[in-house]
Amino acid sequence: MFAKVIVDISHESIDKCFTYRVPRDFSLSVGDPVLIPFGRGKKKGYVIGIEELADFPEEKIKDILSPLEKEFSVEKQLLDLAIWMAEEYGTTLNQCLKTVLPVKKKTKNRTKPGKIQYGNPYPAPKLNAEQEEVLFAMQEYFKEEKAPSALLFGVTGSGKTELYLRLIEDCLSKGKEVIYLIPEISLSHQSRMRVEGRFPGKVAVLHSKMSQGERAESMEKCRSGEVKLLLGPRSALFAPFSNLGLIIIDEEQERSYKSETAPRYESRDVARKRGELANCPVLFGSATPSVNIFREAEEGKVRLFTLKNRAVEGSLLPKLTLIDLRKELEEGNRSIFSKALEEAVLKRLERGEQSILFMNRRGYSPFVSCRKCGKSLNCPHCDVSLTLHKNGMLQCHYCGYSRKLEKNCPNCGSSYISPFGTGTEKLEKICHAVFPKARILRMDGDTTGKKGKYEEILQDFAEEKADILLGTQMIVKGHDFPKVTLVGIMAAEQLFFQSDFQAREYAFQILTQAAGRAGRGKLPGEVLIQSYRPEEEVLELALQQDYFAFYQSEKKFRKRLEYPPFARMLAIQCSYQEEEFLSLMLDKTIKRIQGIVDAEKGELFGPFPATIYKLKDNFRKIIYIKQESHDIIIRLRNLFVEELRKEDKRSLIQLQFDLL
């Protein structure tokens, strides 16, 4: 027997199958990891096919050295998914195999008997009439033979999670398995408590803050059938289940569902492909659906189910107020807190209620600059300003470079260097000064670095050990704290200062999600949005809490400029350490393919410098290709790579593809 093997090297020149002989005493299956002779040494590889005849002279074929029994195999369904991803996202099959294997090595069982804590039992609450109607309609729809996709669109606090749990219960009662995706690690604690309380002993969790041993144990429990439900961020999509009955993607609009490293896959699309391979339904849920998926629902490609009311009787959507910080300045208020927000927080402190304060930047000050020469202190490896932290250290949040804050400007020698702007660390200090009696928790990338800190902070706030929770986006997504009656958004304009055609969409979603944290119980909620640019349309739409109005406005904007979902767009990021070589190669390649793009009725733009032009000592340029057809976009992408490599024969330029 002969095996087709993909070598564990993620380079496009080696992205092909190599043939090896299977020794007679080996028992191998497709997907198994093996040790093979390669070049002058040994390498790991994955078997992706076994054949009786070789397509290569047998005397030149080497033997597989050994199976790698301590490493996980790739299930057939996940292997097929990896092959599809390699073609769809224009990356190597080896990279995709690594992606569908979020845990590589097996470990011994680490959970001690009798030490598993499943949380408090969580009985199923009574559904209201609207929930009953929508649940029945979804159950009927999911009985269809072909794997259907659906969108559960419900206002914040409408009880989407409870409907997920009812659908999960249906699947588990039939012996089927469920993948339940959540966008943030910070949500896993609260979600886990609720899900495990309903299904004790049947749930595994997977996320990046777990140790390698814990992750391996979760995957082994899925593989062995010990658990039937896997909860976690996007890597949970690759659970080794063999009888999948449902995939749920909660808060489907979240950007964290898009991988930022190759393959730059979109979880929505991969989930649908996995659903197709497993013949199981995929359910998306959101209070602020992505424009792309709502367009699909509008066209009938995805079935739409709607919850218009909050689940708790008497609970209403919070009152939103927009505060013009320019007027505050005119009146002599230079504090980060408007008078209205400061008074609102004080009222909550008096009444024993809780507040959430959202700031979209971490650190003490977002940048430091010299008032004499005007230069900011930038990272030497990236085109970004260094962020000042309270300990006096300047840090790059992209590459990790850090140094102490100098006393003099490194550019002109002046002593007039000062921090500007406010991050969450500085906001915390100000809060302690303004509200000296308040118990305050901060949640951002700096306070949650250690294992278990997410859970600790959220548990303390849930148990009312703090009056104010402040932080970045991780505090405004999906959390349910009944005592929170106030949400303050500190600097809303930070949300739409982005060079991205989706910036308005992201801003509306974050504002609506943040607002949805207030008044989720029977106590009324209030949201105060502070901004120096209150005239922005997206702020007005957020105040109305009307997703349909926002969608209609955004649809007109996208259609006029032929942005997705009204055309497909491919972003090709090209990076190399020598700027001149990068520019020369791209200019030559574009001249080669421009005529073909025009003939295919496509449009090619660029190359443009990336938003962060220099990152980790590499210069980055982006080329955009637009065309209505997905298949034509893929062909043009492959043509671009082929023509670039005719110029860049050593494959020095690194490529990343983003299919929008």
Side-chain angles (χ1 to χ4, degrees), residues 131-148:
Q131 288 175 308
E132 288 274 14
E133 183 181 340
V134 170
L135 177 62
F136 178 76
M138 286 196 294
Q139 288 169 329
E140 291 300 303
Y141 178 62
F142 288 160
K143 288 177 183 176
E144 295 187 6
E145 287 186 16
K146 290 185 178 178

Side-chain angles (χ1 to χ4, degrees), residues 339-358:
K339 290 176 183 176
L341 180 55
E342 183 178 337
E343 288 172 5
V345 174
L346 287 171
K347 280 182 185 177
R348 269 65 188 184
L349 292 172
E350 289 170 8
R351 298 199 299 238
E353 297 168 10
Q354 293 176 301
S355 303
I356 285 178
L357 301 177
F358 165 55

Side-chain angles (χ1 to χ4, degrees), residues 386-447:
L386 293 166
T387 299
L388 177 64
H389 288 258
K390 196 175 178 180
N391 60 5
M393 294 298 292
L394 294 166
Q395 186 175 25
C396 174
H397 288 166
Y398 289 87
C399 72
Y401 169 83
S402 65
R403 70 170 189 256
K404 280 193 173 183
L405 175 63
E406 302 96 327
K407 292 183 179 179
N408 296 92
C409 173
N411 181 58
C412 71
S414 163
S415 61
Y416 299 110
I417 56 172
S418 301
F420 291 88
T422 301
T424 49
E425 194 175 7
K426 188 174 182 180
L427 175 61
E428 181 184 19
K429 181 181 179 182
I430 294 169
C431 281
H432 280 296
V434 178
F435 313 111
K437 294 182 180 179
R439 299 166 299 167
I440 299 167
L441 288 170
R442 173 163 61 95
M443 190 170 184
D444 56 26
D446 298 315
T447 61

Side-chain angles (χ1 to χ4, degrees), residues 363-381:
Y364 192 81
S365 289
F367 67 99
V368 177
S369 69
C370 175
R371 285 176 289 169
K372 184 175 182 181
C373 69
K375 299 274 182 155
S376 62
L377 303 188
N378 286 356
C379 173
H381 309 290

Side-chain angles (χ1 to χ4, degrees), residues 271-552:
R272 278 192 271 204
K273 185 63 180 180
R274 175 129 204 220
E276 177 189 314
L277 292 169
N279 193 30
C280 81
V282 179
L283 176 61
F284 305 100
S286 179
T288 53
S290 60
V291 170
N292 285 8
I293 204 161
F294 205 79
R295 175 64 176 168
E296 289 188 54
E298 194 175 51
E299 294 176 323
K301 296 176 182 176
V302 171
R303 178 74 177 271
L304 178 64
F305 298 95
T306 306
L307 292 169
K308 297 179 181 178
N309 305 294
R310 283 195 154 181
V312 175
E313 187 177 349
S315 174
L316 300 173
L317 289 171
K319 176 189 174 185
L320 275 74
T321 304
L322 183 58
I323 298 170
D324 188 344
L325 289 178
R326 297 172 303 189
K327 290 184 179 178
E328 295 283 322
L329 275 175
E330 288 171 8
E331 294 169 3
N333 180 15
R334 297 185 178 276
S335 168
I336 190 172
F337 283 96
S338 63
K339 290 176 183 176
L341 180 55
E342 183 178 337
E343 288 172 5
V345 174
L346 287 171
K347 280 182 185 177
R348 269 65 188 184
L349 292 172
E350 289 170 8
R351 298 199 299 238
E353 297 168 10
Q354 293 176 301
S355 303
I356 285 178
L357 301 177
F358 165 55
M359 165 80 63
N360 201 36
R361 286 179 178 154
R362 64 185 172 107
Y364 192 81
S365 289
F367 67 99
V368 177
S369 69
C370 175
R371 285 176 289 169
K372 184 175 182 181
C373 69
K375 299 274 182 155
S376 62
L377 303 188
N378 286 356
C379 173
H381 309 290
C382 309
D383 248 353
V384 295
S385 58
L386 293 166
T387 299
L388 177 64
H389 288 258
K390 196 175 178 180
N391 60 5
M393 294 298 292
L394 294 166
Q395 186 175 25
C396 174
H397 288 166
Y398 289 87
C399 72
Y401 169 83
S402 65
R403 70 170 189 256
K404 280 193 173 183
L405 175 63
E406 302 96 327
K407 292 183 179 179
N408 296 92
C409 173
N411 181 58
C412 71
S414 163
S415 61
Y416 299 110
I417 56 172
S418 301
F420 291 88
T422 301
T424 49
E425 194 175 7
K426 188 174 182 180
L427 175 61
E428 181 184 19
K429 181 181 179 182
I430 294 169
C431 281
H432 280 296
V434 178
F435 313 111
K437 294 182 180 179
R439 299 166 299 167
I440 299 167
L441 288 170
R442 173 163 61 95
M443 190 170 184
D444 56 26
D446 298 315
T447 61
T448 57
K450 291 183 180 178
K451 184 181 175 183
K453 288 300 291 184
Y454 280 100
E455 293 85 350
E456 182 183 324
I457 293 170
L458 292 171
Q459 191 65 32
D460 283 350
F461 195 61
E463 293 175 359
E464 300 178 40
K465 293 179 181 176
D467 307 299
I468 299 172
L469 175 64
L470 65 88
T472 51
Q473 293 187 23
M474 61 180 69
I475 69 170
V476 298
K477 301 172 181 178
H479 302 299
D480 194 343
F481 302 113
K483 275 295 194 76
V484 170
T485 59
L486 175 68
V487 171
I489 297 171
M490 305 308 297
E493 64 277 351
Q494 291 177 357
L495 295 169
F496 34 82
F497 286 159
Q498 301 179 49
S499 55
D500 186 333
F501 74 91
Q502 296 167 299
R504 282 164 37 100
E505 177 181 0
Y506 297 145
F508 179 84
Q509 288 165 346
I510 285 291
L511 291 169
T512 306
Q513 292 289 336
R517 299 316 105 208
R520 293 177 72 90
K522 293 188 177 180
L523 297 171
E526 182 181 12
V527 181
L528 298 180
I529 303 174
Q530 299 188 154
S531 178
Y532 285 101
R533 294 181 59 176
E535 68 280 0
E536 288 287 337
E537 183 191 23
V538 72
L539 291 178
E540 288 297 326
L541 292 168
L543 281 180
Q544 297 167 23
Q545 299 181 75
D546 187 343
Y547 176 82
F548 292 104
F550 163 75
Y551 173 72
Q552 293 301 329

Side-chain angles (χ1 to χ4, degrees), residues 11-47:
H11 195 282
E12 58 191 71
S13 64
I14 307 174
D15 190 35
K16 56 186 177 181
C17 293
F18 293 85
T19 302
Y20 287 87
R21 183 181 290 104
V22 181
R24 291 183 181 277
D25 56 339
F26 285 7
S27 177
L28 287 180
S29 301
V30 170
D32 284 351
V34 290
L35 186 66
I36 53 172
F38 192 81
R40 296 180 180 178
K42 303 172 184 178
K43 286 287 181 185
K44 184 175 80 173
Y46 291 96
V47 176

